[in-house]
Amino acid sequence: MSERSERLLHIFMESLWPMLKAGLEYTVTLTLISFALGLVLAFGTALARLSRWRLLAGIAAFYVWIIRGTPLLVQLFIIYYGLPSLGWTIDAFPAAVLAFTLSVGAYNSEVIRAAILSISRGQWEAAYSIGMTRRQALRRIVLPQAARVSVPPLSNSFISLVKDTSLAATITLTELFQIAQQRTAMYYEPMLLYCEAALLYLVFSTVLTYAQRRLERRFDRYAAR
């Protein structure tokens, strides 16, 4: 093995654990927290958009329009770098959680809304015919079916969020990609270290894709044939 190859192998192995550690501590944690909060926000937003109250539906639609129409990177910068000019200073991690939560909430609200709308009107009418209220029909009949329909797109959104967390490096959060940047500045081997970071993101995404398929198969058991 040449001296160059030995050096590259040493850098790869020496950088592997710091990147993996940052990925587990920040990338995975940031993804889980943001997605969980984002799903709650998405569900509320979807119901608001389906509401008969026009003001509530309008506010929800405006929020979705703003978030979906602007880049996530710009939203991160506004929250982390812009809000301090108004007197609101937020640390990097909660700023990233807030930005990703808002993004997940806006995009997935459309997934949930579409899933609810995909349930036939006959399901609602059947629920009403046995004396259920609109809320009872939604909770007992519509939402369980909508949940099965929304699993694949929501799972894809979760996997995409894992990769999107790399944007948090731009606001100084020491997640996986930030460590890769630091190591690149230390060793001057950008190709190796960025490929190493890509490999770790690929591993995380592959594991989540496998879990997604298992979850879809589990939900398919309850599908009507």
Side-chain angles (χ1 to χ4, degrees), residues 5-196:
S5 298
E6 289 181 357
R7 180 176 183 275
L8 292 177
L9 179 60
H10 171 75
I11 293 173
F12 182 91
M13 297 305 298
E14 197 274 337
S15 302
L16 182 60
W17 172 242
M19 286 191 197
L20 182 59
K21 184 172 181 288
L24 295 174
E25 288 185 358
Y26 290 101
T27 301
V28 173
T29 303
L30 178 60
T31 300
L32 292 175
I33 294 175
S34 300
F35 194 77
L37 295 176
L39 273 187
V40 174
L41 180 59
F43 182 70
T45 302
L47 293 183
R49 293 205 64 186
L50 295 171
S51 173
R52 296 170 180 172
W53 296 352
R54 291 187 177 182
L55 178 60
L56 183 60
I59 293 173
F62 180 76
Y63 153 64
V64 172
W65 173 66
I66 289 291
I67 299 300
R68 294 184 68 186
T70 55
L72 178 55
L73 182 60
V74 174
Q75 296 164 19
L76 275 168
F77 273 52
I78 289 175
I79 292 171
Y80 186 71
Y81 294 112
L83 289 183
S85 65
L86 301 178
W88 300 334
T89 301
I90 307 178
D91 291 337
F93 188 81
V97 168
L98 177 57
F100 292 130
T101 296
L102 291 174
S103 178
V104 169
Y107 281 93
N108 286 338
S109 68
E110 292 298 278
V111 172
I112 295 173
R113 185 171 72 96
I116 293 174
L117 292 175
S118 71
I119 307 304
S120 68
R121 186 64 190 172
Q123 298 286 331
W124 291 92
E125 293 173 352
Y128 295 151
S129 69
I130 59 175
M132 287 189 184
T133 64
R134 178 179 173 82
R135 179 176 297 181
Q136 289 174 328
L138 181 67
R139 179 167 57 88
R140 298 180 182 179
I141 306 298
V142 176
L143 287 182
Q145 297 179 71
R148 184 182 61 81
V149 173
S150 61
V151 164
L154 289 179
S155 299
N156 290 334
S157 174
F158 182 69
I159 294 171
S160 294
L161 181 61
V162 173
K163 296 173 286 185
D164 288 342
T165 56
S166 61
L167 293 174
T170 61
I171 60 170
T172 71
L173 186 66
T174 53
E175 47 72 64
L176 195 160
F177 190 65
Q178 173 76 294
I179 298 299
Q181 291 179 311
Q182 293 175 0
R183 296 284 161 162
T184 298
M186 182 186 304
Y187 294 115
Y188 303 103
E189 293 290 351
M191 177 60 75
L192 172 68
L193 291 164
Y194 289 145
C195 285
E196 185 174 9

